[in-house]
Amino acid sequence: MPASTTPASPPSFGTLVLRWYRINRDGLRATAIGIVSLLAFLLVWHLLTTYRVVFFVRFTNVPSPLAVYASFTKAIHDPKFLLHIALSCRRIFIGFSLAAIVGVPLGLIMGRFKLVHEIIFPVAEVLRPIPAIAWVPMAIMLWPTNEQSIVYITFLGSFFPILVNTLHGMSLVDPVLVRAAQCLGARERSIFREVYFPASLPHIFTGLTVGMGVAWVSLIAAEMISGQYGIGYFTWEAYSLVQYADIALGMIAIGVLGLGSSMLIRGAGQLVMPWRLK
Amino acid sequence: MNEILTKAPQGHIAVRNFSLSYDSIEGPVEAVTDTQIHVKPGEFVSIVGPSGCGKSTLLNAVAGFLKPTTGIVTVDGEKVNGPSAERGMVFQQYSLFPWKTVRENVEFGLKMRGMPRSQRERAARTLLGLAGLEAFEKHYPDKLSGGMKQRVGIVRALATGPKVLLLDEPFGALDAQTRVIMQQILTNMWQRLKISVLFVTHDIDEAIFLSDRVYCMTARPGSIKAEIPIPLERPRQQSMMMSSEFLALRRGLMSLIREESIKAMGGEISDMGLQGLNIELHGASLADVI
């Protein structure tokens, strides 16, 4: 391109736009297709519900996108709906944070000290396959309040993915890096902080992302079964009260919240691991 | 920084009556046996040998990562009991910390020593300048070429002012051109710092070009087969590699290594059967063919 070989004359606005387009072509393409695909989804949903299609699956009672939008505009002015959302977010925040605060250090210590691993790992392996939902009756017995048992279920759901991925990260730490640190004078504590921890971070963040997903699954299930308040409870209540539009609204809210929280974790990961940016 | 550059020559490595074996289900396997080596202060010494002869094992014992089964490793008369910043090490796989920038990698040893941030930043910048890397101080290792990574690796190992520098096939992963430049850079740094160097390689040219003395090891279990002084004058030039003196040294070393490589491979070859390898002997002995 002639403009790039003669830096003395600034390129015209047109060339800049053209260049920007050329560099970002792939991204633009993906965005455009994404928007079209979402619109198509809405359109299909609209047609299926407007014409009340029955073809194995019955769309007779399924609310249309417009009906859901109408209940959305109503709901955002309803303090009760906002309270549902706020409470769910709080439960996620507390349960997930506890899981991270316990799971990450525990995984790091288990990965570093064989004895701790040998003691804790068998118990973790037995408890791990139990789905968080199966803990609901036990959780209600264990904890004095409903709120605590729901947070506990959320905690359990995210705890095991975080622990397992942290352990996995620790097992993959390159021993040569540990040696390199040792012959630069690093002692146990520094090696832990400067080598094992940062080397495991990518897997820790995988664990946090997976854990966040499972936290939402567990939370919604717990809220539907035992809740008062919470977006899972809202969705279930809408079904009981035959508020069909609210069912879809609750589902979409859950989806958006789940997406938002995993984006937060991804963003945090990029902040903490700048060396992984391409 | 000046303290590093003007340090008096020291770093006498001595390995005496050394052997190292490890346990296996068939009983102890000897990796290195009955080995004596030494490196005088400020000397550049290489160890060459067929693959698997235990030359890296020996180096790792000097670094303090492996304990000798018998014998002793000392540096300036002090017994080596574990890794320490007194013995800098450069690895074939570069082993830079991917989560640290180039400068942070170089600073690491100084940080471990408790040097304040501003001071170690200055020291790291000076060292990076010597290696022509100051423009890359904020880069992460991922973004660097192999040759640049290994320059950082060497600078990092030198930053704490170690008595000896141990290098384990440091240029093994580099292409031929980069290799030659890196050898030149290493020679320059070594002459400046007057540090003792123990260098492990399987590249005979590299060993001759760099060293004052070369130890040639036998096939497993490894021991010292020969000790060859390299009387080539310094500073050495690339053109010397064509001199008759260099070529004579090369021929000598080559035949020593070849004997050992055949010994090392002999078992494998007869085990697999020569047909499997498509080698036609035509009545000649195995040594003539390989």
Side-chain angles (χ1 to χ4, degrees):
Chain A
M1 238 171 84
S4 61
T5 52
T6 53
S9 63
S12 73
F13 182 71
T15 13
L16 280 178
V17 170
L18 210 69
R19 249 188 246 167
W20 181 85
Y21 168 74
R22 217 171 282 163
I23 291 166
N24 296 294
R25 186 155 43 187
D26 284 356
L28 287 171
R29 201 183 100 111
T31 313
I33 293 178
I35 291 169
V36 171
S37 136
L38 281 175
L39 288 175
F41 175 80
L42 283 175
L43 182 67
V44 171
W45 175 13
H46 174 75
L47 293 175
L48 286 173
T49 47
T50 317
Y51 295 102
R52 302 189 180 279
V53 174
V54 176
F55 180 72
F56 294 109
V57 188
R58 300 156 301 156
F59 286 90
T60 335
N61 290 323
V62 175
S64 73
L66 289 171
V68 175
Y69 181 74
S71 81
F72 167 71
T73 48
K74 210 171 74 205
I76 51 165
H77 298 295
D78 179 3
K80 222 173 150 198
F81 178 74
L82 298 179
L83 188 64
H84 283 305
I85 288 188
L87 274 173
S88 284
C89 289
R90 202 184 77 165
R91 287 163 181 165
I92 284 286
F93 179 76
I94 298 174
F96 176 80
S97 302
L98 282 175
I101 290 166
V102 179
V104 172
L106 185 63
L108 292 172
I109 290 167
M110 281 171 74
R112 190 74 191 97
F113 303 104
K114 231 170 152 190
L115 183 65
V116 183
H117 187 278
E118 286 161 352
I119 292 170
I120 295 178
F121 192 66
V123 183
E125 277 304 274
V126 171
L127 295 181
R128 191 163 68 95
I130 303 171
I133 310 159
W135 275 90
V136 171
M138 183 66 81
I140 294 169
M141 288 196 295
L142 278 173
W143 297 90
T145 70
N146 227 345
E147 190 61 25
Q148 285 164 337
S149 57
I150 293 175
V151 169
Y152 175 68
I153 303 263
T154 314
F155 163 85
L156 274 181
S158 45
F159 175 72
F160 287 108
I162 293 173
L163 178 69
V164 168
N165 279 285
T166 306
L167 263 178
H168 183 58
M170 284 295 282
S171 72
L172 293 180
V173 174
D174 187 351
V176 178
L177 291 180
V178 177
R179 288 178 170 203
Q182 283 174 331
C183 58
L184 288 165
R187 306 238 161 265
E188 183 62 36
R189 188 189 283 255
S190 309
I191 293 172
F192 203 89
R193 193 184 58 229
E194 305 269 358
V195 181
Y196 279 105
F197 180 62
S200 304
L201 265 181
H203 286 95
I204 291 175
F205 268 91
T206 306
L208 293 177
T209 312
V210 176
M212 182 57 96
V214 185
W216 276 103
V217 172
S218 317
L219 173 79
I220 300 303
E223 284 178 346
M224 283 186 167
I225 295 171
S226 69
Q228 296 139 346
Y229 292 106
I231 193 68
Y233 173 76
F234 169 87
T235 309
W236 191 253
E237 188 195 33
Y239 173 72
S240 319
L241 300 177
V242 208
Q243 302 279 342
Y244 293 140
D246 281 351
I247 295 178
L249 179 64
M251 288 169 66
I252 292 171
I254 292 165
V256 169
L257 289 171
L259 183 69
S261 44
S262 61
M263 276 166 71
L264 274 180
I265 291 180
R266 206 183 318 156
Q270 285 176 350
L271 274 181
V272 179
M273 302 181 287
W275 69 92
R276 305 219 355 136
L277 292 177
K278 281 296 154 231
Chain B
M1 186 55 235
N2 283 329
E3 160 208 355
I4 298 167
L5 285 182
T6 57
K7 210 176 219 171
Q10 55 172 346
H12 183 268
I13 305 173
V15 176
R16 268 176 259 124
N17 307 324
F18 179 93
S19 82
L20 198 149
S21 47
Y22 56 88
D23 287 326
S24 83
I25 196 96
E26 284 109 26
V29 176
E30 216 162 33
V32 180
T33 183
D34 188 29
T35 291
Q36 342 276 336
I37 64 167
H38 69 101
V39 180
K40 282 177 274 183
E43 197 181 19
F44 198 122
V45 174
S46 291
I47 304 175
V48 295
S51 55
C53 72
K55 50 190 191 294
S56 292
T57 307
L58 188 54
L59 193 76
N60 278 319
V62 176
F65 295 128
L66 298 172
K67 293 231 174 310
T69 311
T70 64
I72 187 169
V73 178
T74 60
V75 173
D76 289 338
E78 261 175 66
K79 190 179 172 212
V80 168
N81 268 327
S84 128
E86 289 198 338
R87 278 157 279 127
M89 181 125 176
V90 178
F91 303 84
Q92 181 179 0
Q93 313 92 315
Y94 316 124
S95 70
L96 302 179
F97 304 119
W99 45 86
K100 290 181 180 292
T101 62
V102 165
R103 177 158 53 72
E104 287 166 348
N105 263 283
V106 174
E107 278 178 31
F108 186 82
L110 302 172
K111 186 177 177 186
M112 291 302 106
R113 198 199 268 172
M115 189 187 272
R117 181 184 291 265
S118 62
Q119 214 176 325
R120 63 174 196 251
E121 264 185 36
R122 219 171 320 126
R125 282 216 183 90
T126 318
L127 279 165
L128 284 168
L130 285 180
L133 286 163
E134 63 272 69
F136 298 94
E137 59 163 322
K138 291 206 173 71
H139 285 54
Y140 285 103
D142 239 21
K143 304 269 197 300
L144 305 183
S145 69
M148 274 153 76
K149 279 185 202 167
Q150 201 54 297
R151 265 189 281 163
V152 178
I154 294 171
V155 169
R156 183 179 68 175
L158 291 172
T160 49
K163 292 177 172 180
V164 302
L165 185 63
L166 311 171
L167 302 99
D168 189 3
E169 305 211 19
F171 309 141
L174 302 176
D175 62 75
Q177 288 84 346
T178 313
R179 212 167 223 264
V180 169
I181 296 166
M182 291 300 294
Q183 290 164 3
Q184 205 70 257
I185 291 173
L186 178 63
T187 314
N188 289 344
M189 287 194 151
W190 164 70
Q191 279 177 328
R192 243 181 135 131
L193 300 179
K194 297 283 170 230
I195 190 175
S196 318
V197 174
L198 188 57
F199 189 98
V200 162
T201 180
H202 60 255
D203 184 332
I204 293 167
D205 289 329
E206 183 169 80
I208 301 172
F209 182 73
L210 292 172
S211 313
D212 296 322
R213 221 149 32 87
V214 176
Y215 284 109
C216 177
M217 282 183 83
T218 65
R220 170 167 282 221
S223 60
I224 301 302
K225 184 186 176 75
E227 179 189 338
I228 298 127
I230 308 294
L232 300 173
E233 66 187 49
R234 294 191 186 266
R236 291 182 186 163
Q237 309 295 334
Q238 214 53 49
S239 56
M240 280 178 168
M241 296 180 90
M242 294 297 150
S243 71
S244 55
E245 209 183 349
F246 190 99
L247 292 174
L249 285 165
R250 183 172 196 268
R251 246 193 314 276
L253 210 44
M254 198 79 134
S255 65
L256 284 171
I257 296 227
R258 187 158 58 165
E259 268 174 49
E260 292 305 320
S261 303
I262 290 166
K263 253 190 239 165
M265 289 178 66
E268 293 169 32
I269 292 174
S270 56
D271 284 353
M272 293 196 288
L274 289 171
Q275 287 87 345
L277 288 171
N278 270 332
I279 298 174
E280 293 275 348
L281 284 178
H282 296 300
S285 82
L286 196 55
D288 295 330
V289 181
I290 302 177

